[in-house]
Amino acid sequence: MREISVFTLKDKLENNESFILLDVREKPELDICALEDAMHIPMMSIPSMLSELDKKTPIVAMCHTGVRSSQACLYLMQHGYDVVNLQGGIDAWAKEIDPRLKQY
């Protein structure tokens, strides 16, 4: 499985690259902190919401630390999606990119 760093994600966002930032965390986690450009589909809901994701658009999957999103990546890859995992998840983003985000 391919992974990218939070620094690479920051560059992608700043360069307005075309991709889906998929946050697979649960609603209570999103209430603590979230990235505004992310599409939110809880990991367990992905199988029933595959039609919401465009196979032609690359996906960067994220969660709290990268563990759940790596599982989501494996599932999406098996279904033909172009997906990469965000190393360290939103935890790494808050530590390395935006310390204003609340950590948990």
Side-chain angles (χ1 to χ4, degrees):
M1 167 189 8
R2 297 177 300 144
E3 293 190 311
I4 64 168
S5 72
V6 291
F7 301 103
T8 301
L9 175 59
K10 182 178 185 278
D11 289 344
K12 287 177 163 297
L13 291 168
E14 288 176 349
N15 293 325
N16 295 317
E17 289 186 30
S18 178
F19 68 98
I20 297 168
L21 178 58
L22 177 63
D23 192 330
V24 301
R25 295 177 300 143
E26 298 295 322
K27 175 77 168 97
E29 293 175 284
L30 299 175
D31 292 341
I32 296 170
C33 63
L35 298 182
E36 67 180 60
D37 295 327
M39 171 187 233
H40 301 112
I41 301 177
M43 188 175 85
M44 298 307 288
S45 299
I46 290 174
S48 64
M49 298 185 73
L50 279 178
S51 64
E52 301 290 319
L53 299 170
D54 181 3
K55 281 190 177 180
K56 296 177 184 169
T57 304
I59 298 171
V60 175
M62 63 176 282
C63 65
H64 183 216
T65 62
V67 175
R68 284 175 285 171
S69 55
S70 68
Q71 294 171 341
C73 283
L74 292 173
Y75 181 83
L76 290 168
M77 287 169 47
Q78 290 173 347
H79 287 84
Y81 290 86
D82 176 13
V83 60
V84 297
N85 189 40
L86 180 63
Q87 295 171 333
I90 198 156
D91 187 58
W93 183 270
K95 289 176 181 171
E96 303 290 337
I97 305 297
D98 189 357
R100 296 171 298 163
L101 286 179
K102 189 173 181 181
Q103 296 180 40
Y104 64 101

